Amino acid sequence: MTMTREEAKAKVIVALDVPTREEAMVLVQQLHNEVGAFKIGMQLYNSEGPDIVRDIQAEGGKVFVDLKFHDIPNTVAQTSKVITGRKAFMFTVHAAGGHTMLATAAEAAKEMAAELQVKKPILVAVTVLTSISQQEFEEEIGVKRPIEEQVVIWAKMSQAAGLDGVVASPKEIKAIRQACGEDFVIVTPGIRPTWAAANDQSRIMTPKQAVEAGANYLVIGRPITKQEDPVKAAQMIVEEIMTAEI
Ligand code: C5P
């Protein structure tokens, strides 16, 4: 079964990895009808402050707040309430914070959404950063098991704690889907259409491959934002996703 254009658009999250509000807003104005959401990372959030969330929403864009919270449960829970109050579409916490931190964050987001009568953000955990090598994982972080095994352990823990899903590299999608089932949300960066440069990403998949592997959302930055015509690039990606067999 293939999907409609609207379903395919909803899967695309544009990473706004730009330093200023001005640059971000140009992209939002160009792309808000072409994609599902915009991801704000720590660079843009910290340079422009939380009002950037409101500014993007005012243009009709949904916002994925990717600040990867990792602190004691109470601090993360209170912050989850703040982010829910800002009507984020999605936000991230670190699985390394442990079950209690994740469960408290999920509960807090749920409570706040009910209190304000807003949609609960999709809450996803970051597991092992893809920049960490197996050697660093064992020697510096001190975990003596294959990274992929740890990713699945943390995905299952996140699910048990009431999170909606995880952020995962393309090569981890299948194992997580198998361990956590069909309803678990998998958000995948490292996406490169065949016509785009790989840049610094090494374990990449095309949009079609990632959706066929089981990704629910694709985080795509430079293959859209650094193209001469970002609208055309986004449309080509959406059309490619529409051809995915799922
Ligand atoms: O430009 P590009 O498509 O590579 O951007 C990918 C986005 O996904 C960036 O915002 C990057 O920080 C993020 N990301 C990633 N790999 C991870 C986690 C997040 O590329 N493992």
Side-chain angles (χ1 to χ4, degrees), residues 13-19 24 38-50 52-53 56 63-68 92 219:
I13 300 177
V14 177
L16 292 176
D17 294 323
V18 293
F38 296 93
K39 181 173 88 77
I40 304 179
M42 56 178 95
Q43 178 192 16
L44 186 60
Y45 193 89
N46 284 296
S47 68
E48 295 295 347
I52 188 72
V53 176
I56 294 170
V63 181
F64 171 12
V65 178
D66 183 23
L67 297 176
K68 303 183 175 67
T92 44
V219 171

Side-chain angles (χ1 to χ4, degrees), residues 170 173-175 177 186 205 207-215 245-246:
I173 299 172
K174 280 203 168 137
R177 180 62 69 217
I186 302 177
M205 270 192 191
K208 181 172 191 275
Q209 286 169 337
V211 169
E212 287 180 346
E245 291 288 338
I246 51 167

Side-chain angles (χ1 to χ4, degrees), residues 10-181:
K11 292 188 177 297
V12 178
I13 300 177
V14 177
L16 292 176
D17 294 323
V18 293
T20 64
R21 181 186 181 281
E22 286 66 34
E23 286 163 88
M25 294 315 293
V26 168
L27 287 164
V28 172
Q29 279 150 10
Q30 287 178 311
L31 294 167
H32 73 272
N33 286 326
E34 313 296 337
V35 300
F38 296 93
K39 181 173 88 77
I40 304 179
M42 56 178 95
Q43 178 192 16
L44 186 60
Y45 193 89
N46 284 296
S47 68
E48 295 295 347
D51 283 352
I52 188 72
V53 176
R54 186 201 58 199
D55 293 345
I56 294 170
Q57 290 164 339
E59 288 293 334
K62 291 184 185 173
V63 181
F64 171 12
V65 178
D66 183 23
L67 297 176
K68 303 183 175 67
F69 301 128
H70 185 185
D71 208 313
I72 58 171
N74 181 58
T75 303
V76 173
Q78 297 311 324
T79 309
S80 297
K81 287 189 178 176
V82 174
I83 300 296
T84 303
R86 293 192 188 281
K87 303 196 183 78
F89 160 70
M90 184 182 279
F91 71 96
T92 44
V93 292
H94 251 292
H99 179 96
T100 305
M101 187 201 86
L102 297 176
T104 321
E107 193 50 39
K110 207 166 117 190
E111 267 173 30
M112 195 55 159
E115 193 180 317
L116 299 176
Q117 299 193 336
V118 297
K119 210 161 181 240
K120 187 188 80 66
I122 300 169
L123 179 49
V124 288
V126 172
T127 60
V128 183
L129 295 173
T130 46
S131 51
I132 302 279
S133 68
Q134 184 64 41
Q135 190 184 352
E136 286 169 327
F137 194 57
E138 290 180 21
E139 290 173 8
E140 297 172 10
I141 300 178
V143 182
K144 313 274 182 222
R145 63 163 72 97
I147 289 178
E148 209 168 316
E149 246 178 75
Q150 187 64 40
V151 168
V152 171
I153 288 171
W154 273 343
K156 285 161 90 172
M157 179 182 77
S158 303
Q159 188 174 38
L163 265 71
D164 299 295
V166 288
V167 180
S169 87
K171 66 165 235 168
E172 295 160 353
I173 299 172
K174 280 203 168 137
I176 295 169
R177 180 62 69 217
Q178 208 170 17
C180 298

